[in-house]
Structure formats: structure tokens, C-alpha cells
Amino acid sequence: MQMKPTQIQTPLLAGIYPQMAQKKYLQAKLTQFLREDKIQLWKPPYTDENKEVGLALKDLAKRYSNKLGCCEDEVEKIIEEIRCKAIERGTGNENYKTTGIATIEVFLPSRLKKDKKNILETRLHISGRDLRSKIAETFGFQENYIKIVINKKLLQLGKSLEEQGVTHNVKAMVLELKQSEEDVKKNSQEEEEKQSEAELKEKRIQRTKKGLEILAKRAEMVVDPETTPYLDIANQTGRSIRIPPSQKKALMLAMGYHEKGRAFLKRKEYGIALPCLLDADRYFCECSRELLDIVDNYAVLQLDIVWCYFSLEQLECLDDAEKKLNLAQKCLKNCYGENHQRLVHIKGNCGKEKVLFLRLYLLQGIRNYHSGNGEEAHEYLNKARLLFKELHIDPSKVHSLMQLGFTPQEARLALRACDGNVDHAAIHISNRREELAQMRQEEREKKRRRMENINSLKGMGYSARAARQALHQAGGNLDEALKILLSNPHMWWLNDTTPDPSSCRESPSQEGIDQLVYMGFDSAVAEAALRVFRGSVQLAAQTLAHHGGSLPPDLQLSEEDSSSTPSMSPSDSAGTSSASTDEDIETEAVNEILEDIPEHEEDYLDSTLEDEEIIIAEYLSYVENIKSATN
């Protein structure tokens, strides 16, 4: 399922230096051994009564180093780090029980990462803003230019930590919008540029939220597609689909945040991308499980979130990376069918979607490596490598298709769909272009019929806005729309523009009253109806006829109200300048969202795979080093 226009590409993952990667693997592997052997490092004989290291730890390091084929000193050092962390955790637990002061492990941006653990102590009744201030002061950030992620959610500044589910021993990740003063030791002009850049990023985040809220609201309303930008949801072939009204707004916001997050991923702005992706995940969770099981968007989002954490070198903060990857795999299977049968039935091929599986296997390999599961990591990375070989495209073939007038993106997608056959790919692209042209023609014809129906209702005296609303409720059926308008005469006040108040004070013409009396209506009722409908004999006659010759109670005006209609108030025509400014802000926010939604409906499947190739080779080398060390 996609947005129209829609979708994205992969980000460049930040590589981890071999020494760091090896250390992470050894930490995970040694932690596994300690759990399997039920060894408690914080107790004797590994820790004495003064909490100092015991002699038995050296023997343990020797045993495990032989098992792993690693340097004994390195293994001993890592086991000692694990022991110290366990003691710290135990001390923190005791302190929390007696004082109520919680321990939070803070994960800093990769440029500030150090070997030591970053611990912050705090009470949980403080606000999110207070915690942000503490983190900024402790670790040298400018408070307004960082965001904090806890439990895969952005920290809300106005709520207490307890209200947000923050507990003792939780992990907090710092997203940096701007480097600290100490790290930007250049001239004042450059510092001002950095500050302006951070402020711009924050404004972009806020505009994203505003723009998506506006577009989601428009999705619930009836707007004129010719004059008002809005988002539509389409299936895998690009055709618009209907979504249950109860879920449409949540789904629209989820997909909107996802698209915006992808746009930031493309630009490698991971610190801004992650909040968007997490917001998308939150809104997707408001949709029914049945809906999530039949679309690939939710699966792709899980991959993008794990990918983003890895790009930020913060996989340790994502405790449920395995769960997210398993969920992505399950959703893709439900959506595409066993061995992709459903996908092949719909699209005729599954070559393009294999890019998602390559990314899935790669991330599963990386996660297993960092969890100390060398054999599983090798298995997944090898699957990713084989898929890469299958999906790799000869640049000369892309060039050949470009010579025929096709775009590089069209060429890559078509070549993967056609197993690299240039002639078949050219036919595939041409057929797809024809299908899209046919869909656009159908959309134009649908709009033409809709405008004819709107004009028919306008000819009866209704405003264009009222006509659109009624036709929307009637599913486009003109007769049903007219019945809706007659049954709900108050819809007549859905005006396109604010009416002139002076027109409401004019007394109905005698000619109009005589016409209604001639039709058989009471003179007083006729006058009242004409006053309500501002002299429109046609609307007055239709309404009176539909309601048995009388005005419905909700349309009857008292004497004080007789000089105005129910739709008007003294403030309706006020604040023109302010409204204009707000409209400009809304337009800017909406346009920024629309600019980041790609036109090609399969943009999210398009990748050169250059980044994936590098990372597959990098992690396979890590795994091979482990295998050679243990042999």
C-alpha cells in the first residue's frame, strides 16, 4: 500500500571499525557463556568483600579465551568490564530501593562514544524537560538542540518521567541536532551557522508534524482535488483504495511520517529521521492487525527503524531489534504469500521486492553478530550476499535503457523484475507507463463526472462545498446526494466563501413569496423560508415540499436572528490578515511534505545496493575472522 504520490530508498549505514565490532561480538559471546554456565561475577570467588576482582576471574578468562581462540588478556579485560557493570547495576538497584533515585544509562552520539558506561541518576517524578537539562549539562550539549529517545519514543518535555513509563535502569538515547560549543571551536560566523542549522532542523520537524496533521485532516474532509493538495492511499498497482474511516487518519499519519522519515534517511539525516519513523510506528499501532497483515508498509517501517538505529551506531538502544525484524519477516510473508505467490499473482514478478529481503537478511546478520551468534550471523549474511549477486545490475544495461528514454530508476526496477533482460525490461516499462496513463485517464474521467454532478447541484442553488459534501456521502450518486441535501437543509450553509452580512438582512421579495404561495405554501412560512435561504425560491420550495410545507425547527429563526443566518457570526469576517498568514504557513508545511513524496509508486524498492555491498563484505569479514580464530 502506498501514498499517491509515494515511497523510498535505503540510507547509507555507518560502518563500525573492525576492532569495535570484534569487541561488541566478544562482549555478547562472553555474556552468553556466563549465562550458560550460571556464573555470577558480582559474587565470590570473582568479587571479594571489597567489591574488588577475585583471582578466579583470571582462570575464567583463560578457559573462555581457549574456547574462543582469542587473546587471554583481551578476554580478561572484557570480563572485568562485565563484572564492573554488574556491580554498578547492583549498587544502583540497592540505591533505588532505599532512596528512590533511578539509574538511566545514556547512549551518546557516535562521535562522543567512549568505552565507559554513561550513567545518570535521577528521580522519576521530574519532567522530561528537567531530564533533558540534566543530560545536556552532564554531557556538554546545548539543551535546545538535542532530543531524547526512551523506550523507542521521543521524550515529552511537559510530562513527568513516571507518566511516560520511564523506569529504573532504562536506556536513553541522545539525538543531536547541533554539536556542543566545545566541539565547534571555529569562528563566530561558523558557530552562528551551526546554531541556525539546528534551529532549522527543529523547525522542519515541527513543520512536518503540522503538514501531516493538515493532510490527514483533509483526508477526512471533502476537498476539491483541483485546488487543494491532499494525500490518497493506493494499492500495489497504484490504484486508489478505500480505507475504513475509523482507521484512515491514523494510517494517513503513519504513512506520512514514514515517507518523511525516509526522505531524511536518503539525506543521511538520521537524527531527524528516527523521530519521524518512531511516530510512524506509533500511528501504525492504532490500525487494526488485519490491515497491517495485508500491507507491506508496516514491514518496511520495521526495517527502516532498525536500519536507522544501526546508522546511528545505537543498536544497543533497540532492545527489541530481533522482534522488529521477525515482525517484518512475518508481515512480508503475510503480504506477499508463501514463496511470494500472492505478489507474483498481483504483479507478475517478485524481483523488485527481493531488495527488502536482502535488507532483512543483512540486518538479521548484523543483529546476530552483535548478539554473539556467529554461526547464525554467517548464515544470514551469506543469504544476503547471494541475493545481492542475484539483484546486482550491470550498469551498461541501465545505460542501454536510458538511451531508449527511460529513467535510471525505471531501468533498475524493470531489470530486477525481468531478471536482467534488457528487451523484456523495456517492454515492462512501456506497459507500466501505459497502465499509469490509463489510470490517470480514468481519474480524469472520474473528476469530470464529479464536476458535472457538482454543477448540477449548484444549478439547484446549492454551494459547491455543500454539493461536494453531499456527493461524498452519497458515493458519487447524484440522486442520493440530492436526497441528502433535502433531508439536511442546514448543509446549504456550507458556503464556499463568507457571505455578505447585508444580504441576510434584506426582506424577501414579494414576487418570491407569491411564487411559493402559488405553489400552495403558507405566506408566513414562505417568507420565513425565503429569509433563511436568502431569496432562493428553488431551495425554499424544495425544502418546504420535502418537509410537508413547514420549515424544520432547526431552520426557524427568532425575531432577533431574522437579520442573520445560523452560519454567521460577527467574527466570521474578522482577522483577514491573520488568516492569510496562517494559510501561508499551512501551505508551506503541506508543500514540504508533498515534495518528499516520490512520484514513482515503487521508489521504496529502488536501490543501487552499493551500500549493502560494502556492509555485507564488512560483516562477512568479521565472521570469517571469528571462524579462523576458533579453528
Side-chain angles (χ1 to χ4, degrees):
M1 186 165 55
Q2 75 223 22
M3 282 193 158
K4 294 169 62 181
T6 190
Q7 311 228 33
I8 150 178
Q9 202 175 19
T10 65
L12 173 63
L13 291 177
I16 297 178
Y17 293 112
Q19 297 88 344
M20 189 184 298
Q22 183 182 21
K23 183 177 180 180
K24 285 178 179 292
Y25 174 81
L26 285 175
Q27 284 174 333
K29 200 68 185 174
L30 289 168
T31 300
Q32 273 186 15
F33 289 164
L34 292 168
R35 284 174 182 160
E36 289 168 3
D37 296 341
K38 298 180 179 178
I39 291 174
Q40 298 176 319
L41 291 175
W42 60 93
K43 292 182 178 180
Y46 308 104
T47 299
D48 62 23
E49 62 276 8
N50 297 318
K51 296 186 178 179
E52 297 295 328
V53 61
L55 296 176
L57 190 137
K58 197 168 189 66
D59 295 333
L60 186 67
K62 184 175 182 179
R63 175 153 60 99
Y64 286 162
S65 64
N66 290 335
K67 193 173 181 179
L68 289 167
C70 296
C71 170
E72 184 179 331
D73 289 342
E74 185 178 3
V75 171
E76 184 179 352
K77 182 180 177 183
I78 293 174
I79 293 177
E80 171 60 6
E81 286 180 8
I82 295 172
R83 186 190 74 85
C84 290
K85 286 180 182 178
I87 291 173
E88 270 183 25
R89 193 177 183 90
T91 303
N93 290 342
E94 290 174 13
N95 189 40
Y96 179 63
K97 287 177 184 176
T98 56
T99 67
I101 297 176
T103 298
I104 294 178
E105 185 175 2
V106 181
F107 288 78
L108 303 176
S110 57
R111 70 177 186 85
L112 295 174
K113 276 193 173 180
K114 299 172 183 156
D115 285 340
K116 70 171 188 173
K117 197 173 181 181
N118 301 299
I119 296 297
L120 192 73
E121 293 185 336
T122 181
R123 294 193 181 276
L124 298 178
H125 63 74
I126 69 169
S127 69
R129 180 173 281 101
D130 291 338
L131 178 63
R132 186 183 69 169
S133 297
K134 274 192 171 188
I135 289 175
E137 183 181 351
T138 304
F139 301 105
F141 296 107
Q142 289 192 37
E143 183 179 341
N144 292 331
Y145 302 130
I146 59 171
K147 288 188 177 292
I148 313 299
V149 176
I150 298 180
N151 295 331
K152 300 179 292 298
K153 295 177 183 176
L154 274 180
L155 186 69
Q156 296 182 50
L157 302 182
K159 291 186 176 181
S160 73
L161 301 186
E162 287 174 323
E163 288 177 301
Q164 298 180 67
V166 178
T167 57
H168 173 57
N169 281 333
V170 79
K171 295 176 180 178
M173 183 172 78
V174 179
L175 297 177
E176 189 178 26
L177 301 180
K178 169 183 176 293
Q179 293 183 11
S180 66
E181 298 281 355
E182 295 178 5
D183 294 303
V184 190
K185 293 181 177 177
K186 295 185 178 181
N187 61 48
S188 60
Q189 183 181 353
E190 287 187 354
E191 175 57 28
E192 286 174 10
E193 288 174 358
K194 285 285 184 183
Q195 185 159 331
S196 298
E197 181 185 349
E199 289 170 351
L200 181 62
K201 285 180 179 178
E202 178 61 26
K203 285 178 181 176
R204 284 163 70 192
I205 292 172
Q206 296 307 317
R207 280 201 304 274
T208 293
K209 292 180 181 293
K210 186 175 183 66
L212 287 171
E213 287 287 347
I214 292 167
L215 289 167
K217 188 176 180 182
R218 287 179 184 174
E220 294 183 309
M221 298 163 55
V222 182
V223 297
D224 185 352
E226 300 294 335
T227 59
T228 309
Y230 74 111
L231 294 180
D232 195 8
I233 297 176
N235 62 17
Q236 290 168 326
T237 65
R239 294 186 179 276
S240 297
I241 55 176
R242 289 187 176 276
I243 301 295
S246 59
Q247 299 183 53
K248 189 167 185 179
K249 182 177 180 180
L251 184 61
M252 193 72 71
L253 286 168
M255 294 178 68
Y257 275 113
H258 191 186
E259 293 297 347
K260 194 65 181 178
R262 283 175 165 173
F264 288 129
L265 282 178
K266 282 183 179 180
R267 297 192 283 266
K268 302 179 180 62
E269 297 181 75
Y270 307 118
I272 307 179
L274 186 58
C276 290
L277 297 176
L278 294 177
D279 278 336
D281 199 27
R282 177 165 58 90
Y283 282 111
F284 266 124
C285 289
E286 293 181 17
C287 300
S288 68
R289 176 53 56 186
E290 293 77 17
L291 181 61
L292 297 182
D293 281 343
I294 62 171
V295 297
D296 63 0
N297 303 73
Y298 192 51
V300 177
L301 174 64
Q302 304 311 307
L303 296 180
D304 286 339
I305 289 174
V306 179
W307 194 271
C308 195
Y309 270 96
F310 179 58
S311 301
L312 290 164
E313 297 182 27
Q314 298 284 18
L315 268 183
E316 295 165 90
C317 290
L318 192 62
D319 294 328
D320 64 346
E322 181 180 13
K323 179 182 174 183
K324 284 192 173 296
L325 294 175
N326 289 341
L327 180 58
Q329 189 164 17
K330 179 186 174 184
C331 288
L332 289 175
K333 181 179 177 182
N334 290 340
C335 182
Y336 296 158
E338 195 75 44
N339 299 320
H340 316 316
Q341 292 104 323
R342 181 170 176 266
L343 185 63
V344 172
H345 177 72
I346 294 171
K347 288 189 170 182
N349 65 81
C350 61
K352 293 168 284 189
E353 282 72 15
K354 286 182 180 178
V355 166
L356 301 179
F357 288 91
L358 185 152
R359 199 178 307 167
L360 172 66
Y361 298 148
L362 174 55
L363 289 171
Q364 286 175 321
I366 291 168
R367 191 207 67 79
N368 274 286
Y369 179 82
H370 287 289
S371 298
N373 304 321
E375 291 183 9
E376 291 87 345
H378 185 266
E379 180 185 345
Y380 281 117
L381 290 167
N382 208 38
K383 287 173 78 172
R385 181 179 63 83
L386 293 173
L387 252 186
F388 170 79
K389 285 185 175 180
E390 180 184 337
L391 296 173
H392 180 68
I393 296 171
D394 183 347
S396 65
K397 292 182 177 181
V398 174
H399 182 70
S400 296
L401 288 169
M402 288 174 64
Q403 294 290 91
L404 297 176
F406 302 127
T407 67
Q409 184 179 67
E410 285 179 316
R412 285 190 294 268
L413 290 168
L415 285 167
R416 289 196 179 116
C418 300
D419 298 321
N421 187 301
V422 176
D423 293 334
H424 291 174
I427 294 170
H428 178 90
I429 298 172
S430 298
N431 289 342
R432 184 58 185 153
R433 285 187 173 185
E434 287 178 12
E435 288 173 13
L436 290 172
Q438 177 64 29
M439 279 190 278
R440 291 191 188 104
Q441 179 59 36
E442 291 173 5
E443 287 289 332
R444 283 194 293 270
E445 180 60 23
K446 184 179 175 183
K447 287 178 182 177
R448 186 191 63 77
R449 290 195 303 268
R450 186 167 173 270
M451 285 308 301
E452 284 182 355
N453 289 340
I454 288 173
N455 289 332
S456 295
L457 292 172
K458 284 174 68 178
M460 299 177 193
Y462 296 102
S463 68
R465 186 178 172 193
R468 285 196 299 270
Q469 182 74 53
L471 285 166
H472 177 72
Q473 292 181 24
N477 186 294
L478 180 59
D479 293 335
E480 288 300 317
L482 183 56
K483 288 179 183 177
I484 289 170
L485 288 167
L486 290 172
S487 300
N488 301 276
H490 60 274
M491 289 179 69
W492 182 76
W493 282 297
L494 292 173
N495 289 300
D496 301 314
T497 58
T498 302
D500 180 6
S502 63
S503 67
C504 308
R505 292 192 290 269
E506 295 176 2
S507 297
S509 68
Q510 188 59 47
E511 182 184 355
I513 296 173
D514 290 342
Q515 281 182 287
L516 290 175
V517 170
Y518 181 76
M519 294 178 196
F521 299 116
D522 179 78
S523 175
V525 174
E527 182 177 353
L530 287 169
R531 193 180 295 279
V532 167
F533 292 107
R534 298 187 202 138
S536 173
V537 175
Q538 189 171 11
L539 285 177
Q542 288 174 346
T543 303
L544 291 175
H546 190 75
H547 292 274
S550 61
L551 276 177
D554 58 339
L555 292 184
Q556 293 177 13
L557 305 178
S558 65
E559 286 204 23
E560 309 91 74
D561 296 329
S562 63
S563 62
S564 65
T565 68
S567 64
M568 297 184 61
S569 69
S571 62
D572 281 340
S573 57
T576 305
S577 176
S578 174
S580 177
T581 304
D582 291 344
E583 196 172 302
D584 291 341
I585 294 172
E586 286 190 3
T587 300
E588 182 184 357
V590 167
N591 287 342
E592 195 167 301
I593 297 294
L594 296 177
E595 284 170 7
D596 280 331
I597 297 180
E599 290 186 10
H600 200 292
E601 73 280 1
E602 292 181 326
D603 182 81
Y604 74 116
L605 300 174
D606 176 40
S607 172
T608 61
L609 298 182
E610 292 171 356
D611 306 333
E612 287 85 346
E613 180 182 17
I614 294 169
I615 295 159
I616 290 169
E618 183 182 353
Y619 272 84
L620 275 173
S621 71
Y622 299 161
V623 175
E624 292 299 333
N625 287 340
I626 294 166
K627 291 179 72 175
S628 60
T630 53
N631 289 338

